[in-house]
Amino acid sequence: MNTNKLWSADFIKICLSSFFLFFSFYTLATALSVYVTNGLGGSDTQAGLSMTVFVIASVLLRPFAGQLMSKYGEHKIVVISLLLFLLFSMAYLGVFGYAMLLLVRFFHGGTFAIATTSTNTTAIGIIPEHRKGEGISYFSLFMSLAMVIGPFVGLTITTHGGFTAMFALCAVCSLIAFVLGASTRRKADKQVPAAAEAQPKKSKSKLHWRDLIEKKAVPIAFSGFVVAFAYSGLVTFMSVYAHEQAIDQYASYFFVCFGIMIVLPRPIVGKLLDRVGEHVIVYPSIAIFTIGMLLLSQASSPVLLLVSGAVIGLGYGALLPCFQTIAVLAAPAHRRGLATATFYLLFDLGYGIGSYTLGSLASNYGYRVMYIFCAIIIASSSIIYFTLHHKRKRLTNAASEEAYVS
């Protein structure tokens, strides 16, 4: 058996399952604000709340994903969570009011949290140990492709085919994600049982916060929280902002430019991460992401809108897989599922709080001010990253070298 092989059949299947899972998510996330404001006659704040409710459920359930996988098995949780995600994707076709939409969004968010955590954990387990950075980068590339194609297709179908067609497409994509995920299996890591032998005694005692959170992933997860807060304004309100600027016909192409610049440098980013370390990628990516948001805040023409999309894609596309890899590698091998859940817990929390807060900000001060505020938030993530990760790692390495010399 070639343990160096990355592109195995199971890795390809879990990547494609993740693609269709996130395709459904991003199609809904982008088009739902239009559905709430135009289809249901709601306000910008209500559009933001429809995303926030989704994320609240994600935040509540994601910490339990690691425990569920440990207790019932990784594959079983992948299958059940993807099946439930499919059922609630179909439920949008029966929504007849805003209150019912919020109810469906809540349950859909909970199943999304478990499904994404379990598929992420499966993918990480399949990737060869010494190719984690590269493998996670490629795996997240499929999420990024969904991030590009989903909004484009969602806005296009909503414009030409209506909301029912959009909901039906999301249900079909959820079905494909379920079939692919259910057919994916990975061989158990032989080192995990030995590392986890100390766990059974704890399983019989009361549930402790360490059973739900991997504390070593928390520092980088806080940086992810800040980035997600700002990023939520892009996904949730981009279509409404473009409509306000009278360039809404170009909104879907914004996400195409966004996605192209995520996809093109991704293979390089993964290899750089394994070879030269994370700091070389993180700081330039934050700067590029910030500049992109500032350009978006001033976008009154199609050209500037598309350029801002490309710049944001380059910055965000390099930043997210880097943060995720740092979180995973910070944890012991048998707690990497928890590390993934911890990272996305704070990412979801930032996304949810951001959707509601930025929606209120946009209602009072306009979208230009909102995107300038997002740029400031993104820039501040560099300070958080330096304080909670870079500086701490430097001090840890210095202490290790000193101990080795002595």
Side-chain angles (χ1 to χ4, degrees), residues 47-65:
L49 184 61
S50 68
M51 177 56 71
T52 300
V53 166
F54 183 97
V55 176
I56 286 172
S58 296
V59 169
L60 290 175
L61 286 181
R62 198 181 288 280
F64 296 96

Side-chain angles (χ1 to χ4, degrees), residues 220 273 277-288 315 318-319 322-323 326 381-382 385 389:
I220 194 63
L273 188 56
E278 63 268 33
H279 309 321
V280 176
I281 300 171
V282 169
Y283 293 114
S285 298
I286 290 173
I288 293 168
L319 203 56
C322 191
F323 279 178
I326 293 169
S381 69
S382 62
Y385 175 81
H389 177 71

Side-chain angles (χ1 to χ4, degrees), residues 10-246:
D10 283 326
F11 183 66
I12 293 170
K13 283 191 287 186
I14 200 66
C15 284
L16 289 172
S17 177
S18 180
F19 168 81
F20 285 106
L21 179 66
F22 277 90
F23 180 94
S24 179
F25 168 76
Y26 281 111
T27 299
L28 282 170
T30 309
L32 207 65
S33 59
V34 182
Y35 174 66
V36 172
T37 54
N38 296 348
L40 299 178
S43 65
D44 290 337
T45 302
Q46 286 178 312
L49 184 61
S50 68
M51 177 56 71
T52 300
V53 166
F54 183 97
V55 176
I56 286 172
S58 296
V59 169
L60 290 175
L61 286 181
R62 198 181 288 280
F64 296 96
Q67 278 288 299
L68 289 171
M69 285 186 284
S70 297
K71 186 174 182 180
Y72 298 106
E74 190 178 289
H75 181 69
K76 187 178 290 186
I77 297 303
V78 168
V79 172
I80 293 172
S81 60
L82 286 174
L83 177 60
L84 291 173
F85 184 83
L86 166 61
L87 294 176
F88 286 112
S89 295
M90 296 168 63
Y92 286 94
L93 293 166
V95 167
F96 52 79
Y98 183 70
M100 186 175 180
L101 175 67
L102 293 183
L103 185 65
V104 172
R105 290 292 288 168
F106 182 84
F107 288 110
H108 203 206
T111 58
F112 177 77
I114 304 296
T116 51
T117 303
S118 58
T119 52
N120 265 268
T121 304
T122 298
I124 290 166
I126 293 170
I127 299 167
E129 188 65 27
H130 64 286
R131 299 183 71 181
K132 290 295 184 191
E134 183 184 359
I136 291 172
S137 184
Y138 279 122
F139 177 73
S140 62
L141 173 59
F142 283 82
M143 291 187 277
S144 300
L145 286 170
M147 187 191 306
V148 181
I149 303 171
F152 177 80
V153 172
L155 293 174
T156 302
I157 289 182
T158 300
T159 302
H160 299 289
F163 297 114
T164 300
M166 185 264 292
F167 290 140
L169 174 66
C170 290
V172 171
C173 290
S174 300
L175 174 62
I176 297 171
F178 167 71
V179 171
L180 289 167
S183 64
T184 302
R185 288 185 179 275
R186 74 174 177 97
K187 293 185 182 297
D189 189 341
K190 292 180 181 179
Q191 292 181 348
V192 170
E197 275 181 4
Q199 302 303 315
K201 291 180 182 178
K202 288 186 176 182
S203 63
K204 295 180 181 179
S205 61
K206 289 184 179 179
L207 190 67
H208 193 274
W209 68 267
R210 289 190 184 90
D211 298 323
L212 305 177
I213 301 292
E214 173 48 59
K215 66 177 182 179
K216 291 183 179 179
V218 170
I220 194 63
F222 270 116
S223 297
F225 170 90
V226 175
V227 169
F229 182 98
Y231 177 68
S232 68
L234 184 70
V235 176
T236 308
F237 300 109
M238 178 62 227
S239 56
V240 183
Y241 174 60
H243 179 74
E244 184 184 80
Q245 298 299 312

